[in-house]
């Protein structure tokens, strides 16, 4: 999941501005904040790592303090719930970052922006990424011919 989403963000943030053509067949200028875009991706990933570490440390402490099977199971259930909550939060952070990147590119069709905005899980976001890849290929072919 992370690899595809990171590829999508990197694709938009670092390479998309140089491959799309504007209506006058002039290349779009490269976004001046590419370094900021990469930093946002890194910040989100770092946050994800730190939160996973925190969850595991708390779970480890909990299971070591458990005196019964029920307490142990409660620790495991709490860990599972926290991991799921984090997974959804990080997905939303990444999706919002991608939406911000797409908003900086006026030649990206609204249908692709809507696809990303409406995505509720990784599979749906991956389908949006496939649309972006197809658009990029189309612009490359149009630029060659």
């Amino acid at each position: 999941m992370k690899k595809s989403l990171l590829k999508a963000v990197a694709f938009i943030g670092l390479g998309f501005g140089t491959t799309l053509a504007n209506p006058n067949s002039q290349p779009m200028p490269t976004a001046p904040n590419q370094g900021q875009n990469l930093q946002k991706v890194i910040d989100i990933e770092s946050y994800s790592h730190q939160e996973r570490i925190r969850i595991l440390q708390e779970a480890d402490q909990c299971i070591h303090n458990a005196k019964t099977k029920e307490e142990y199971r409660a620790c495991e259930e709490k860990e599972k719930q926290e991991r799921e909550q984090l997974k959804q939060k990080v997905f939303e952070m990444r999706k919002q970052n991608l939406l911000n990147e797409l908003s900086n590119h006026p030649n990206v069709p609204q249908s692709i922006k809507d696809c990303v905005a409406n995505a509720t899980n990784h599979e749906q976001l991956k389908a949006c990424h496939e649309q972006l890849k197809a658009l990029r290929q189309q612009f490359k072919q149009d630029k060659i011919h």
Side-chain angles (χ1 to χ4, degrees):
M1 174 181 149
K2 290 179 193 172
K3 287 182 183 177
S4 294
L5 192 53
L6 285 174
K7 285 180 185 176
V9 172
F11 169 71
I12 293 300
L14 301 176
F16 202 69
T18 58
T19 53
L20 282 180
N22 71 22
N24 299 322
S25 298
Q26 300 294 322
M28 285 179 51
T30 303
N33 59 353
Q34 285 181 357
Q36 292 173 346
N37 298 336
L38 178 59
Q39 189 59 49
K40 287 177 188 176
V41 171
I42 291 169
D43 289 346
I44 292 168
E45 191 63 21
S46 179
Y47 170 80
S48 175
H49 288 180
Q50 294 302 314
E51 286 299 297
R52 284 182 283 156
I53 290 167
R54 181 193 58 79
I55 290 168
L56 288 172
Q57 287 173 335
E58 287 179 8
D60 188 55
Q61 185 69 32
C62 185
I63 63 173
H64 277 84
N65 292 334
K67 305 286 187 242
T68 65
K69 272 188 176 181
E70 291 76 25
E71 289 176 352
Y72 172 81
R73 287 183 185 143
C75 294
E76 291 293 308
E77 185 59 32
K78 182 181 177 195
E79 177 191 354
K80 180 179 177 182
Q81 288 174 353
E82 288 182 358
R83 283 186 287 127
E84 286 300 316
Q85 290 171 350
L86 176 61
K87 182 179 177 181
Q88 187 59 36
K89 183 175 182 178
V90 170
F91 169 81
E92 292 298 330
M93 292 169 73
R94 289 177 176 143
K95 182 175 105 169
Q96 187 58 52
N97 191 48
L98 181 56
L99 282 171
N100 292 343
E101 291 302 308
L102 289 174
S103 70
N104 293 328
H105 296 285
N107 292 341
V108 174
Q110 188 62 42
S111 61
I112 293 177
K113 294 175 184 178
D114 291 343
C115 180
V116 173
N118 295 326
T120 58
N121 59 46
H122 172 67
E123 290 75 26
Q124 292 173 353
L125 199 57
K126 188 175 179 179
C128 303
H129 177 65
E130 293 301 319
Q131 291 178 28
L132 284 167
K133 283 173 48 179
L135 181 64
R136 183 180 184 198
Q137 284 300 109
Q138 182 61 47
F139 278 110
K140 277 185 177 180
Q141 288 177 352
D142 290 348
K143 192 174 183 178
I144 292 171
H145 300 329

